[in-house]
Amino acid sequence: MKYLFSILFFTLCTTPCFSQKKKADIIIINGRITTMDDSNSETEAVAIAANKIILTGNNKTVMKLATTSTKIIDAKGRRIIPGLFDSHLHVIRGGRFYNAELRWDGVSTLKRALEMLKEQAQRTPEGQWVRVVGGWNEYQFDEKRLPTLEEINEATGDVPVFILYLYGKAWVNKAGLQKLNINSETSNPAGGLIEKDNDGNPTGLLVAEPNAFILYSTLAKLPELSNEEKINSTLQYMTELNRLGITAVMDAGGGFQNFPDDYVITDSLHKAGKITIRLPYYLFAQKKGAELTDYKKWIVMVDIDQQSSNGINEVDYHVKGGGENLVADAADFENFLFVRPELPSTMESNLKPVIQILVRNRWPFRIHATYNESITRDLNVIEEVNKETPLNGLVWFIDHAETISEENMQRIKALGGGIAIQHRMAYQGESFIHRYGKKAALAAPPVKRMLEIGLPVGLGTDGTRVASYNPWIALYWITTGKTIGRTQTMSSENVLDRVTALKLMTVGGYSLIRENNKGKIQKGFFADLVMLDKDFFTVADEEIPTINSLLTIVDGKIVYGANEYKRVAPAALPVIPAWSPVKYYGGYQYK
């Protein structure tokens, strides 16, 4: 009896301690919260403790978890969504150069673009260049034309300038040609053209015929920022992404992005706990003919299964796998100004051993493939490897896939793969139509069919050197079928409704890589969420590209705030160097 009484007394005394609910660090009330849960429910309030969502519901219920130290945020009826996840972006490389670049993303007139070019040339110091690197095309301008070399030279004078146009061509002004020592004697590189006039002198136009090596290699010769400036630049770029509602990115590597040397900046920011987006990254092989050697080396250097946080910053930052470029022979650059490149006969024999070693070591992989012809040959190799070493649920996917066939979509599904699509057609739709015709563009890529057959699909941007990093352009394109020049390229039968589109950039993107605890505003999920300045579900189509975040939370921490929410967010970091275009124009433009 005494023993039973002791047990009862212990139970009565301890039950309140065990049943007590966890208290919230942050509570958001009065929101229109799109949870993206399985029933796509909408709710009013959300509570966050540490880096997890602990409760959603009405204001009264959620406020029960508040304490005197809880930060209460009133959304005032605004739309709140899970943080956007860009499944293909080049943040690590882009961050190193962001402060040095003049962005024409979103600029509505060529007149203003040239004015910006002139203004920036006047403040750029000796030894530096003015550079415009991707995120724009002529169709966004009211004038519907490209700048001329005469206009570029007039605007910039003696300050060297490099302007990249998609992956098709670039302009270098007279001062830039002199700095690069490009003259009448300079030979064309393989796969590229240095345009020359009737006297044999370079005009300043560099043309990819058809691959982008001439553009990449020229850009790589330009001076870089200092280490301190690169750190600031990367922080500014991540803040810019946070401003647009991005909370996570899969970094796809990129040309002239060498591991581990070019990861020093983000490594240092990670150790300091300053990374403000989830940033898993893939390792992109750089040197033609040495790709297998690289992957053998990296597999020894990095244990994917045992990478962990340093305890300061819990936000994801680690090697995710191999790609998007696995071997140079498999690269089919999407330069729609030229015909589709025919991959060399050596592609299969070079690609197979790379995929074999990745599969044997259980490394996820992704493959850049724009054209169906390339995808067919890639899949032939993957199927051969699968017979020898079964994929057995290994994460892998094709990037881009604009012209993929029904047969190849079914082959990818049978192999347990997925597809990451991007809004490149929003920037190259007109060029695609000019080369391949209107009919070919109606389902490029056939995203609705991908979803119908049950393929995992993630949506991204492929910023910054071709398309812009603005995720709302991707959501505009996939829901309207229009380019940034407002040309209807995708058919109405292939566009997505806004809920489905948003899923591809939240929970659907995470499904592509089989992560099941992100992308929803739901109890137990990681606390990545965004309060919007306009309601994505109700604004007119043409307003979608102008949406911004008012409040961005990553891993339970407020990383960005605008307007009245500035007071709860970290203070803006001053931009360096003093001449940086970002200091004067910001990033994505709305004028």
Side-chain angles (χ1 to χ4, degrees), residues 352 355 365 375-391 396 407-408 410-412 414-415:
K352 185 175 179 180
I355 293 182
F365 63 92
I375 295 170
T376 297
R377 293 175 64 180
D378 290 334
L379 290 175
N380 291 343
V381 173
I382 296 170
E383 286 170 343
E384 285 183 18
V385 172
N386 184 54
K387 289 177 183 177
E388 300 163 6
T389 309
L391 293 167
W396 74 274
E407 178 186 3
N408 280 339
Q410 296 289 355
R411 292 171 75 191
I412 292 171
L415 289 164

Side-chain angles (χ1 to χ4, degrees), residues 539-558:
V539 296
D541 288 344
E542 301 307 317
E543 286 190 74
I544 293 174
T546 70
I547 293 174
N548 284 292
S549 170
L550 290 174
L551 183 77
T552 303
I553 296 176
V554 178
D555 208 45
K557 302 176 185 68
I558 297 171

Side-chain angles (χ1 to χ4, degrees), residues 496-509:
L496 304 181
D497 65 84
R498 295 190 190 186
V499 172
T500 302
L502 188 59
K503 282 183 178 178
L504 297 191
M505 229 168 192
T506 53
V507 63

Side-chain angles (χ1 to χ4, degrees), residues 382-453:
I382 296 170
E383 286 170 343
E384 285 183 18
V385 172
N386 184 54
K387 289 177 183 177
E388 300 163 6
T389 309
L391 293 167
N392 277 347
L394 182 69
V395 171
W396 74 274
F397 52 93
I398 298 289
D399 277 296
H400 313 313
E402 276 84 359
T403 68
I404 191 169
S405 67
E406 172 75 19
E407 178 186 3
N408 280 339
M409 287 190 284
Q410 296 289 355
R411 292 171 75 191
I412 292 171
K413 182 181 179 183
L415 289 164
I419 300 177
I421 62 170
Q422 299 80 38
H423 66 185
R424 302 190 310 176
M425 287 293 283
Y427 289 82
Q428 300 189 87
E430 289 89 353
S431 297
F432 186 94
I433 290 172
H434 296 166
R435 178 156 298 279
Y436 299 110
K438 181 72 172 180
K439 184 178 179 180
L442 296 177
V447 59
K448 185 168 281 188
R449 182 56 184 159
M450 294 175 190
L451 297 174
E452 286 173 351
I453 69 172

Side-chain angles (χ1 to χ4, degrees), residues 463-531:
T464 59
R465 292 190 171 178
V466 177
S468 174
Y469 52 80
N470 185 350
W472 300 103
I473 298 292
L475 290 163
Y476 167 79
W477 162 72
I478 204 68
T479 56
T480 67
K482 294 180 181 180
T483 68
I484 61 171
R486 306 302 185 256
T487 299
Q488 188 74 44
T489 55
M490 190 182 293
S491 71
S492 59
E493 291 78 17
N494 198 42
V495 300
L496 304 181
D497 65 84
R498 295 190 190 186
V499 172
T500 302
L502 188 59
K503 282 183 178 178
L504 297 191
M505 229 168 192
T506 53
V507 63
Y510 287 113
S511 296
L512 179 67
I513 55 174
R514 301 194 186 100
E515 292 191 7
N516 56 13
N517 54 4
K518 298 167 188 166
K520 298 180 183 180
I521 301 177
Q522 182 175 311
K523 182 179 179 181
F525 276 62
F526 283 95
D528 302 340
L529 51 94
V530 177
M531 184 192 302

